[in-house]
Each structure stands twice: as structure tokens, then as C-alpha cells.
Amino acid sequence: MDKCWDLFCSPSPPPPFFKNLFRETYIQQEQGESSNDRNDRAIRVAVKWYSEHLKKIEDEEKIQVIFLTNDRTNKEKALEEGITAYTCEEYIKSLIANPDLVDRLACVSDEGKEIESGKIIFPEHIPLSKLQQGIKSGIYLQGTYRASRDNYLEATVWVHGDAEENKEIIIQGLKHLNRAVHEDIVAVELLAKDEWVALSSVVLQDDGENEDDIENEEEKENILKTSVNKDILRPTGKVVGIIKRNWRPFCGMLSKSQIKEARRHLFTPADRRIPRIRIETRQADTLEGQRIIVAIDGWPRNSRYPNGHFVKNLGSAGDKETETEVLLLEHDVPHQPFSQGVLSFLPKMPWSITEQDMKYREDLRHLCVCSVDPPGCTDIDDALHCREVENGNVEVGVHIADVSHFIRPGNALDEESAKRGTTVYLCEKRIDMVPELLSSNLCSLRSNVDRLAFSCIWEMNHKAEILKTRFTKSIINSKASLTYAEAQMRIDSTTMNDDITTSLRGLNKLAKILKKKRIDNGALTLSSPEVRFHMDSETHDPIDLQTKELKETNSMVEEFMLLANVSVAQKIYEEFPEFALLRKHPAPPPSNYDILVKAAKSKNLEIKTDSAKALAESLDKAESPEFPYLNTLLRILTTRCMMQAVYFCSGMDNDFHHYGLASPIYTHFTSPIRRYADIIVHRLLAVAIGADTTYPELTDKHKLADMCKNLNYRHKMAQYAQRASVAFHTQLFFKSKGIVNEDAYILFVRKNAVVVLIPKYGLEGTVFFEEKGKPTPRLDYNNEVPSLTVEDTTLHVFDKVKVNIMLDASNIQHQKIRMVLVEPKVRDISTDGKDDDLLK
């Protein structure tokens, strides 16, 4: 079947046929005729035959066959042969009843012609063939382009391959960015060392008020080049060509042109890392205030912004359903309902455990097993038990939902789960990795029902030393589904001594010993404020916002999950040294700790970073009696210095170490309802203990490595989506609050702003000292201390300040929490909170 067959269409197409096997439409390639020209001719012959064929059918209503092609020569030949032919644009514009379709046409104008009509802004991209030669010879470097969220005139390129000394290259300035878009694969030329720069500490947003004002851009670029310490200069380059575009449909809003009846408008993406996009639309009045999707078509050298076209209207900006859809699309979270093909592989209801299911299982229903989870949890992955055995030792079991029993390798359900990679938890919504029948019912280890599990059981002494470990597929019947608070209440109770409570106390006692051992071994105890919203039962709007309170029982469950993950990692690596799916946490490069070390030094504290153990010990010592919150701030800052933990295949890597946990080996086994990595680990462990059979993909390290790449991407996107959901609900919370005055602590200082943390709400925000339409105060930034002097007031990292918090809805596209400094008072900057302008 020719690839271009779909380019001709009719209102009532016949069943498809292979035109190259059909005598009437078969043609041979002529001497001197290219394959493309032969294909074009084949399509024209097929169109002509089909048109004649329809005329012979008496009962068929009169149907006109139309040939669509954007190839000018092909169209001319079709017209010469009596075929009705149009370009896509001509055909769409002829559909008078559907004028909105014109907006969806890709912009395919000739870039060369456009350049003649406008000033050239960007250098020409070097052709791909020359780029590949240059990369091979080392003239250029290939890498992934990552735009800055805070500064639209700055980006970094993460270099592919082994160029360790130039792993990350800074790109600064419009011409050097040269039309690259976030996540493009680009070729970079390094600049001479005397042109190297440091990452700027300036926050610059593209206001886009005048897209032709290039002189204004140059002024902003000069701000970036303010004198910096030569010790922090880093490799700097310029984009010379694009190897692979990574464009996707972008969500955002139309910035309507001020020119009356204009068709050309700017689209502002929701993601600040994406440039504005120029589109043509006749629906500007309708689309104003709506969240829409736009696709990029191209970026000519004479255009400040790329050209694109309208794709879809998502709904009104600010509407909860619309905003949730936007954040899911923007973070590439698969969220469509599960297809019938996927659902067809679910067990038929009513479901029950059969004799065949028990074949390789231990019956553990007699054990006093219970689960401990957050309130409202329905996808219960794990349950625990603890009991004394006859020899005086303790038996502890971690029982994990046996999801791999229900999801078999290679079927549609398995493929969909692998694609999704993880469950995504938003503030009011959960996007399941597996269908609800499994996640909240058959796999969920609910109380008082028989459930299939995969159990990791240890025999320990009372010092929490492991004497024996065994793994078994099992059947359990949980005796209680508890929240962390309920479990804590049982442990603390002076009157409760039932089997469940006794089991919990035993677990808690052992968990404390295990945690101390981990910390003594160099494991890090970090901090990251998490928030919980309390929703109105009718409107579902947030009515209260609090930081989550962690109890001893949170730590208790965590310790045994960590121990199970380590035990399983050791087992699957022992059995499959080339094919184990593991998880590692790389040690951060020393430069990552610069901000932490300097911030601690400003408070006369020393943080050692030469090893995880040294870091953990120095964090433990870093306390100030008059400033008890300081240690928490240091741990929050330390979290920001860390690298991302990642999945990998043992046969494709030799560095297994998990830095944060101070563990030589680690994996994920304990959450298969919400993480696909755990399903693979379950399958490996089942084969290792003879409870299941293997399959080719499970022992193919290259396929496992590709799977890990997708899982790492999906986990990262899920984290970002969750943060975006928290940010949106935080805006909803402050929308009805007016101005709120709260204590805050400075986390970072920038050249024109400070980033503060408000402990009460676990909320982070930026206090800017430069505002449009207001005089700019005198600013003096000191990177070494670090500090920012505004007029005569100096602000240091960790200083306690007071800020006013309010929702700034002046930009409906990017509504944000705005913070204004109240104390210490800065001349011409601080406010007493009574200024009505703050709410406008």
C-alpha cells in the first residue's frame, strides 16, 4: 500500500485495496523516474480509476473524488489529467460552513520569502550533514537544550556522551539561543574562554509587549553580563543547529492583538520555558480567556517568535476541570480512560481465589496482618505483621499486593501499565496506572477480605539483626486497615493490648533500631515541606492549607518498606546479575553544595560534603538554640542540592550506590499498584524463587534499559504534575483570603529578588524588588555571603522576615502567589499591608 494513499478522499470511501496488486491501477517505474515521482503517478492513476468507477455505480449518489496534495508539480499534473485537485489550504478554505478549520492549518509559508520582508534576527542554522561531521570531529557538541523557567534569555545544554568536563553548557542571549525550543536536540559551538559566563541570578520574564523591539532585548542581555566571580564561570556556547525538534502541542492562552480585526496574534504557553508563538485565527474574540492548544510549524530567521496554528479549545481559564486538563497535558500524563482492549484482560467478576492460584502460595491468613496508610487511601499496596516465634526471636513480614498475578506480560493491560509507568496523585484526583478494579479492589490489601500477596519475611533478633530472609507468594487476610494516626493512637494507648496493637508496637520498636542503624551508616534525613488541603464538601474548593504532620508510624512503615526493597534488590541481583531492575541515587557533584555551604557559613556553621556520612553528621550538629527552625531550613536546602534517583538495568551500569539511603544496592518492590518498576521486580523475584516463568523481554538488558528510560521520565513528569496541582490549589485557597500576613524565612537570594519559605503553609514564593512602573531601588548582590542589599537593608539566607501573601490575578494566564516584604522595612519597597493596589 503506498504511503500517500490517504491523500485522496471522498465522503464515502470503498473498502481499502492494494492498488499495486490491482490490474487497473498497477504501474511500473519508468526509466529515469524517481521513486517519489512514480508514487505520485500511482496515486493519480488510482484517483482517476476510482472516479470513473463511482460513475458506473447507478445506485450510488453522485460523489466527487478530490485529490489533496501540497506538492505543486503533482497538483499541476493532476489538473492536466482532468483530476479535481487542491492543496490542503485551498480545500479547507473552500469549506464555507467550517471557517474555524482554517485556523488549524499548519503554517507552511516559504521561510526564504519571509526573510526578504523583515530584518534578520537569528544566525542561519548549519545543515544537518555538516553538523554531524562537526560533531564527529569535535568542533560541535550534541546535547539536550533546556530552557530556563526564570530567565527567557538563558538556557543550558546537557551534552550527550563522555564530555565530562563540558557536561553542561550555558547559552545566553537571544542570538546564541538561536530558535532552539526546550528539549530540542541541538548542536552547540563552545565560545572562547574569555567569553564564558556564569548562570545569572536575575529573574527575567518575556513580557512580549513589542515583538519587534530587539534593542530592548539587547538591554536585558547586558543585565546578564554584570561582573561575576571568575571562579564560577562555566563553559558557554551558542546553538549552531537543530539535530532534532522536540515540539509537541502546547497549552496556553491567546494574547489578543490590540489591532482591530487583526488575524495575527501571539499565543503565550503555560510553560514559561516555551517561547510565545505567533498564530493566525479568525476566532480571537471567542478564544480570549480560554485555555487553548497550539502547535509550532516553524521558526523563520526574521521572526522574534515561532509560527504555529490553533489546534483545540480546552475551556475557560481558571475552571478547575480545564486547569487540571492543562496540567496533565503539559506534563505528558496519559489520562484517557482505559480502552476496551485493555479492560478485556481484567478478571471476570465475581472473582475468587482458585486452587490453581494457591499452587505456589503459602496460606498466611492466620497471621495478624494490618495496613497503615494515609486517610482515604484505597490503593493499599502493603501490609505488615510482627510476632514472636518459639525460639524467642521475632518474625516480621512485609506483604505486598501481587499485581503481577493479574497483569501478565505482553498483553494490552501490561503495555498500557508500562506506558503510564506510575499513578499520578493530584490534589483532588488520582490518575491510576492500572484500572480501578485492580487498584482499589482486587489488588488492594483491604481488611477482612482474602487477597493475593508477595511476602518478604525475616527472622530477626531483638536488636533488629536479620537472621533469615525468605520470599513467598502468599494469600493473606488483613485484620485492619489503619491510618497513620489510628496506628499511632494504638501504640500510645495504655489500655489497648490486642494482637494488632501488640504487632504494631513490635514493629515500631524494631523500626527505631533500623532507622538508627541507617543514619549511623550515613543515610540522610532530609526535609521537604508537604501540604494538605482541606476541601469544602460542596464546592470542593480548598478552605484550609496545612503542612503535613508526620508521626512515628510514618517512619515505622517507611523503615520496613526500605528493608524489603534492599532485601529484594540483593536477591534479584544475585539471581540475575545482568537483568536486575534496580534504583540508584547518584552522589551530587561538589558544586551542587556551594549554596548550602555558603548559607551555613553565614550562620557560623560548617557543613561537610565529602561523603553522605559527613554530610549527615554535620547536619545533625548544625543547630542553633536561639533559632530552632534553622536545622529544618538546612535540610530543605540540602534536598535542593540532591540529584534525581533513577531506575537502571544492572547489566548496563556499574554504579549501584544509593547516596541518600547509604545503601550499596536498592530497588522498588513495595508499590506495584502505583509503580510499574515494582511489577517488573515482582516478575524477576517470582522467577528467582520458582513461582513463575520468565519471558524474553525480562532477560533482555537493552529492552529493560529502554523501559527504565520511560519509567524515569514518567516519574519525573508525575512529580511536576503533582507540584503544579498543589500550586493551582494554593492559588484557589488565597483567592478568597485577600492579603495574608505571615512569618517567612529566606531560602535563596537572587540579584533582584529573594525566595522565601512560609512554614505555616509549606509555601515557597519570590519577593521581587523590581516592578514595572515603579522606580528600581539600589540593589547590591553578594554571591559569597550570600546576601542582597536593597537600599540600606541587607537580607541574608535564613533571615526571618514578614511578608504579605496575596493572589496576583492580573495575568490570567500566569496567575501567581505574590509576596511583598513587610519586615524588615525597606525604604520605598515595604508595605504595611493596607495598600489597596496590592489587590488590583
Side-chain angles (χ1 to χ4, degrees):
M1 177 87 68
D2 192 281
K3 66 179 181 179
C4 298
W5 178 244
D6 290 334
L7 285 178
F8 88 89
C9 60
S10 78
S12 178
F17 66 93
F18 291 90
K19 63 182 180 297
N20 289 335
L21 303 179
F22 184 62
R23 187 179 61 206
E24 302 291 338
T25 57
Y26 174 77
I27 66 164
Q28 281 187 318
Q29 189 169 349
E30 295 175 351
Q31 194 171 357
E33 185 178 40
S34 71
S35 297
N36 190 58
D37 287 346
R38 181 255 165 217
N39 287 346
D40 287 347
R41 186 161 59 88
I43 296 167
R44 294 196 302 273
V45 168
V47 173
K48 202 163 188 178
W49 174 86
Y50 185 33
S51 189
E52 294 299 322
H53 172 72
L54 288 176
K55 288 176 185 175
K56 295 174 186 175
I57 303 173
E58 291 180 8
D59 295 338
E60 192 76 52
E61 62 181 272
K62 193 174 180 184
I63 293 171
Q64 183 181 17
V65 180
I66 296 169
F67 177 39
L68 300 182
T69 177
N70 283 335
D71 184 320
R72 193 181 302 157
T73 306
N74 198 8
K75 182 193 165 194
E76 286 170 0
K77 287 182 178 177
L79 292 171
E80 286 169 11
E81 293 166 16
I83 297 169
T84 305
Y86 295 104
T87 64
C88 289
E89 185 175 2
E90 288 168 343
Y91 180 69
I92 293 297
K93 285 182 175 177
S94 73
L95 303 174
I96 300 165
N98 296 280
D100 57 311
L101 288 177
V102 178
D103 292 350
R104 297 171 195 243
L105 279 170
C107 180
V108 291
S109 53
D110 187 336
E111 287 192 9
K113 287 183 181 176
E114 286 192 55
I115 287 169
E116 291 172 17
S117 63
K119 181 184 173 185
I120 294 175
I121 300 168
F122 298 101
E124 192 170 358
H125 285 150
I126 294 169
L128 188 58
S129 57
K130 288 189 178 177
L131 288 179
Q132 288 167 336
Q133 290 170 12
I135 290 164
K136 203 172 180 181
S137 64
I139 298 170
Y140 308 129
L141 295 168
Q142 177 177 321
T144 304
Y145 178 91
R146 291 173 180 164
S148 167
R149 269 193 175 88
D150 298 323
N151 187 337
Y152 76 101
L153 292 174
E154 187 169 77
T156 54
V157 171
W158 190 258
V159 177
H160 304 165
D162 301 321
E164 288 295 333
E165 71 281 5
N166 295 325
K167 200 68 179 173
E168 196 174 54
I169 297 170
I170 298 173
I171 315 289
Q172 266 188 12
L174 204 59
K175 289 178 182 174
H176 286 173
L177 298 176
N178 198 7
R179 296 170 287 159
V181 176
H182 184 63
E183 292 294 340
D184 282 351
I185 307 298
V186 300
V188 172
E189 183 180 348
L190 275 177
L191 300 177
K193 278 200 171 185
D194 61 358
E195 294 182 73
W196 286 10
V197 299
L199 282 172
S200 72
S201 296
V202 172
V203 179
L204 283 180
Q205 304 294 350
D206 181 10
D207 51 35
E209 286 181 0
N210 185 354
E211 61 177 291
D212 299 317
D213 191 359
I214 301 304
E215 287 180 14
N216 185 35
E217 305 288 1
E218 289 167 359
E219 278 177 34
K220 289 181 180 178
E221 286 176 25
N222 288 332
I223 297 171
L224 304 183
K225 295 172 184 172
T226 51
S227 58
V228 289
N229 187 333
K230 287 186 179 179
D231 295 337
I232 59 171
L233 296 179
R234 287 178 31 200
T236 306
K238 61 181 179 181
V239 174
V240 293
I242 309 294
I243 292 162
K244 185 190 172 196
R245 287 292 192 189
N246 220 348
W247 295 343
R248 59 176 173 83
F250 299 105
C251 299
M253 292 183 71
L254 194 72
S255 301
K256 192 180 166 190
S257 170
Q258 299 302 308
I259 302 168
K260 197 176 179 184
E261 295 183 13
R263 287 185 179 179
R264 296 179 84 185
H265 308 271
L266 282 177
F267 163 83
T268 305
D271 187 342
R272 289 190 183 276
R273 295 170 298 186
I274 307 301
R276 291 182 165 207
I277 302 164
R278 188 192 290 111
I279 67 168
E280 287 195 27
T281 178
R282 294 149 184 77
Q283 307 175 70
D285 290 338
T286 307
L287 297 179
E288 197 173 16
Q290 301 288 297
R291 288 284 196 182
I292 63 173
I293 296 177
V294 160
I296 297 179
D297 300 320
W299 197 340
R301 288 173 61 199
N302 69 319
S303 175
R304 170 66 184 83
Y305 299 110
N307 293 327
H309 66 276
F310 165 74
V311 175
K312 186 181 180 184
N313 185 354
L314 296 172
S316 298
D319 173 74
K320 263 198 289 191
E321 287 298 315
T322 302
E323 295 300 335
T324 300
E325 178 75 5
V326 167
L327 75 86
L328 290 170
L329 289 168
E330 278 298 288
H331 296 99
D332 196 16
V333 175
H335 60 287
Q336 299 307 316
F338 290 98
S339 70
Q340 283 306 122
V342 169
L343 298 174
S344 68
F345 286 95
L346 292 173
K348 300 294 178 278
M349 297 300 285
W351 173 85
S352 61
I353 296 168
T354 65
E355 279 187 32
Q356 182 66 24
D357 295 335
M358 290 298 297
K359 197 171 180 183
Y360 297 103
R361 289 181 193 277
E362 277 189 52
D363 191 340
L364 302 179
R365 284 176 285 192
H366 62 285
L367 293 176
C368 186
V369 172
C370 69
S371 62
V372 184
D373 290 283
C377 179
T378 60
D379 52 345
I380 302 172
D381 283 290
D382 55 89
L384 298 152
H385 89 269
C386 176
R387 64 173 182 168
E388 281 211 7
V389 287
E390 288 178 3
N391 61 10
N393 290 327
V394 182
E395 180 188 89
V396 175
V398 165
H399 311 277
I400 305 300
D402 189 5
V403 182
S404 63
H405 173 84
F406 297 95
I407 300 180
R408 303 308 295 164
N411 67 25
L413 176 56
D414 182 45
E415 287 173 357
E416 180 65 22
S417 304
K419 176 188 160 192
R420 293 186 178 218
T422 181
T423 293
V424 181
Y425 294 90
L426 306 180
C427 291
E428 279 190 281
K429 193 173 188 176
R430 189 179 80 202
I431 313 297
D432 280 329
M433 181 185 81
V434 299
E436 192 177 16
L437 178 65
L438 297 182
S439 66
S440 296
N441 187 350
L442 302 185
C443 291
S444 184
L445 304 182
R446 302 187 300 186
S447 56
N448 303 315
V449 287
D450 292 348
R451 286 291 177 257
L452 302 180
F454 210 148
S455 300
C456 173
I457 300 171
W458 304 278
E459 185 179 326
M460 295 180 176
N461 60 26
H462 289 275
K463 294 178 183 176
E465 293 167 339
I466 297 171
L467 307 173
K468 290 180 190 173
T469 305
R470 68 188 182 92
F471 306 98
T472 180
K473 290 228 174 185
S474 61
I475 175 171
I476 66 167
N477 188 298
S478 172
K479 303 301 181 277
S481 300
L482 305 172
T483 65
Y484 290 116
E486 288 168 344
Q488 191 68 52
M489 185 189 71
R490 282 175 175 266
I491 290 168
D492 296 340
S493 171
T494 54
T495 57
M496 296 181 80
N497 291 296
D498 57 277
D499 289 347
I500 293 170
T501 305
T502 303
S503 177
L504 287 168
R505 285 179 185 145
L507 289 166
N508 198 40
K509 185 179 175 184
L510 291 167
K512 288 177 181 178
I513 301 169
L514 289 169
K515 185 171 184 177
K516 185 178 184 306
K517 281 183 186 176
R518 275 198 315 109
I519 291 169
D520 289 347
N521 201 33
L524 296 172
T525 306
L526 301 180
S527 184
S528 184
E530 290 187 67
V531 298
R532 169 167 287 144
F533 293 94
H534 295 274
M535 302 294 184
D536 184 288
S537 57
E538 291 182 10
T539 66
H540 297 285
D541 285 339
I543 52 175
D544 196 11
L545 172 60
Q546 297 172 337
T547 50
K548 288 182 183 176
E549 184 190 345
L550 297 180
K551 300 181 182 297
E552 265 187 11
T553 44
N554 290 80
S555 178
M556 176 190 80
V557 173
E558 182 186 19
E559 285 307 315
F560 287 107
M561 297 306 113
L562 293 176
L563 190 62
N565 287 334
V566 170
S567 297
V568 170
Q570 290 166 343
K571 179 67 176 177
I572 62 172
Y573 179 61
E574 183 184 297
E575 292 288 330
F576 304 105
E578 289 289 300
F579 316 119
L581 192 156
L582 303 175
R583 188 162 175 83
K584 69 174 181 176
H585 181 216
S591 59
N592 277 31
Y593 288 122
D594 287 351
I595 183 69
L596 173 68
V597 172
K598 286 175 183 175
K601 192 178 176 184
S602 72
K603 298 294 179 188
N604 299 315
L605 295 169
E606 184 184 13
I607 297 291
K608 294 180 180 176
T609 61
D610 42 322
S611 70
K613 188 170 174 61
L615 175 61
E617 287 173 352
S618 55
L619 282 170
D620 287 343
K621 292 174 187 171
E623 292 193 340
S624 170
E626 65 275 7
F627 188 2
Y629 197 65
L630 176 62
N631 191 263
T632 303
L633 289 169
L634 284 166
R635 291 181 192 275
I636 291 170
L637 210 51
T638 306
T639 306
R640 308 298 168 85
C641 302
M642 293 296 123
M643 305 291 282
Q644 186 85 28
V646 290
Y647 296 110
F648 69 101
C649 173
S650 59
M652 302 290 280
D653 209 326
N654 49 24
D655 175 20
F656 293 9
H657 190 72
H658 196 293
Y659 180 81
L661 297 173
S663 178
I665 193 166
Y666 191 67
T667 193
H668 273 163
F669 163 75
T670 54
S671 294
I673 293 176
R674 60 186 178 88
R675 291 189 306 232
Y676 188 78
D678 302 51
I679 293 177
I680 296 297
V681 170
H682 277 227
R683 289 173 181 169
L684 288 165
L685 185 61
V687 175
I689 66 170
D692 207 343
T693 53
T694 188
Y695 57 98
E697 288 78 12
L698 195 64
T699 52
D700 183 330
K701 62 184 181 182
H702 296 287
K703 287 191 175 173
L704 280 171
D706 286 342
M707 181 185 293
C708 288
K709 193 175 178 184
N710 177 59
L711 293 175
N712 291 329
Y713 171 73
R714 292 297 180 199
H715 276 261
K716 183 175 70 174
M717 289 296 107
Q719 282 183 328
Y720 292 161
Q722 284 156 211
R723 288 176 200 165
S725 180
V726 169
F728 174 63
H729 281 79
T730 303
Q731 290 170 13
L732 289 179
F733 172 71
F734 282 104
K735 192 174 185 178
S736 59
K737 295 289 177 188
I739 298 174
V740 177
N741 184 280
E742 285 297 340
D743 289 337
Y745 293 95
I746 296 175
L747 271 185
F748 304 100
V749 293
R750 304 284 187 240
K751 284 185 178 174
N752 60 347
V754 293
V755 178
V756 300
L757 173 75
I758 294 148
K760 181 178 176 180
Y761 299 122
L763 178 65
E764 212 174 287
T766 306
V767 177
F768 290 97
F769 296 110
E770 291 179 327
E771 289 192 59
K772 267 188 195 173
K774 293 190 177 181
T776 301
R778 191 174 71 254
L779 300 172
D780 183 14
Y781 172 70
N782 185 332
N783 181 57
E784 289 304 306
V785 175
S787 67
L788 177 67
T789 302
V790 188
E791 294 295 340
D792 302 318
T793 304
T794 301
L795 303 168
H796 298 88
V797 171
F798 300 148
D799 278 359
K800 187 175 182 180
V801 296
K802 266 196 185 297
V803 294
N804 278 340
I805 316 163
M806 68 222 76
L807 178 67
D808 178 359
S810 58
N811 181 343
I812 193 168
Q813 159 79 331
H814 288 124
Q815 293 191 37
K816 60 188 177 186
I817 299 299
R818 185 176 172 218
M819 296 188 185
V820 179
L821 191 68
V822 178
E823 291 176 16
K825 289 194 179 294
V826 178
R827 184 160 42 90
D828 300 328
I829 294 287
S830 297
T831 173
D832 58 6
K834 296 173 184 175
D835 185 353
D836 289 340
D837 287 343
L838 294 175
L839 295 175
K840 290 177 182 173

